[in-house]
Amino acid sequence: ILDFQRLESGKVPLVMQPCEAESLLRQAVEAMRPSAEEQQLQLFLTAQPIQIWAHSDSIVQTLTNLLSNAIKFSSPGKTIHLSVEIDAPDARCPRSGFDGTNGTNSSHAANLAEFARFTVRDHGRGIPPELLEKVFEQFQQVDASDSRLKGGTGLGLAICRKIVEQHGGKIWVESVLGEGSIFRFTVPLHRASSPTSLLA
């Protein structure tokens, strides 16, 4: 709750710097690995060598929140996939199917790209279509019993959205009931002209 209030205040600067995207992803994975192993889940990571312009701790927090949710709603024996790649202009995932296929990702498109795209994919119970946007709102749970059975404040995804938006990126989810969910978010690539800070 304090984290969310801090982000909502709009007065705390996020100091941006060049960050290795794979390193941030690995930090989140290592932080959540004990929880995954306790639930008998495998974590599988793939990453392109990408440098982003970000507040590193906030991005790790976002990844940790998403990974925590994936662990919470996955059945034992499943694999959670995490990745980061160039978000090429002609390969935006909201236009793709649940199988993750997308358009061409040529070197030309990559050169035009301004963002990196992080993905956390689980094989859990999925989210009903009418709740795909609401899950990013404050105190929202897919099921009212989730807070009692699985814990959590209902603020994790709202915090993720605030952090991503303050980086100038976007966050969204694709899901199929009974098959799982894919959470994706974008953050800017590192450019020589990138500003040094943004207000949170």
Side-chain angles (χ1 to χ4, degrees):
I1 293 175
L2 290 176
D3 280 346
F4 188 80
Q5 290 175 339
R6 178 180 62 82
L7 291 166
E8 279 279 89
S9 71
K11 298 178 181 179
V12 181
L14 293 180
V15 179
M16 306 296 181
Q17 60 184 4
C19 304
E20 296 298 331
E22 180 179 0
S23 175
L24 302 185
L25 195 55
R26 290 191 181 279
Q27 288 181 51
V29 166
E30 290 308 310
M32 297 306 300
R33 191 178 299 280
S35 296
E37 292 176 348
E38 184 178 347
Q39 298 299 320
Q40 302 176 42
L41 298 169
Q42 298 291 323
L43 303 180
F44 186 80
L45 183 155
T46 58
Q48 293 179 359
I50 302 170
Q51 195 169 65
I52 61 174
W53 191 246
H55 183 262
S56 59
D57 289 347
S58 294
I59 297 303
V60 172
Q61 181 181 7
T62 300
L63 290 165
T64 301
N65 284 353
L66 295 178
L67 186 49
S68 175
N69 269 10
I71 291 171
K72 188 183 301 183
F73 297 107
S74 293
S75 302
K78 299 292 186 178
T79 299
I80 297 171
H81 298 265
L82 305 99
S83 65
V84 61
E85 58 192 319
I86 295 292
D87 187 48
D90 60 350
R92 290 302 178 94
C93 281
R95 296 201 298 263
S96 66
F98 183 78
D99 62 358
T101 58
N102 51 42
T104 180
N105 189 15
S106 66
S107 58
H108 175 69
N111 289 335
L112 295 175
E114 298 180 358
F115 293 87
R117 183 177 67 244
F118 289 88
T119 300
V120 178
R121 174 174 181 166
D122 66 57
H123 296 276
R125 68 188 188 189
I127 301 170
E130 66 273 16
L131 296 181
L132 290 179
E133 289 297 325
K134 291 184 178 180
V135 294
F136 294 104
E137 298 175 1
Q138 300 178 48
F139 307 114
Q140 289 295 319
Q141 300 275 4
V142 173
D143 188 304
S145 64
D146 286 344
S147 60
R148 298 190 301 271
L149 297 177
K150 299 179 180 296
T153 62
L155 284 173
L157 292 178
I159 289 173
C160 290
R161 182 171 66 177
K162 282 290 183 183
I163 290 173
V164 171
E165 288 178 348
Q166 285 154 6
H167 278 76
K170 296 182 179 181
I171 186 169
W172 66 95
V173 59
E174 305 161 36
S175 189
V176 174
L177 283 174
E179 295 186 20
S181 302
I182 306 176
F183 282 86
R184 308 187 199 267
F185 69 92
T186 59
V187 294
L189 296 171
H190 172 50
R191 302 297 188 196
S193 60
S194 298
T196 57
S197 67
L198 293 174
L199 288 181

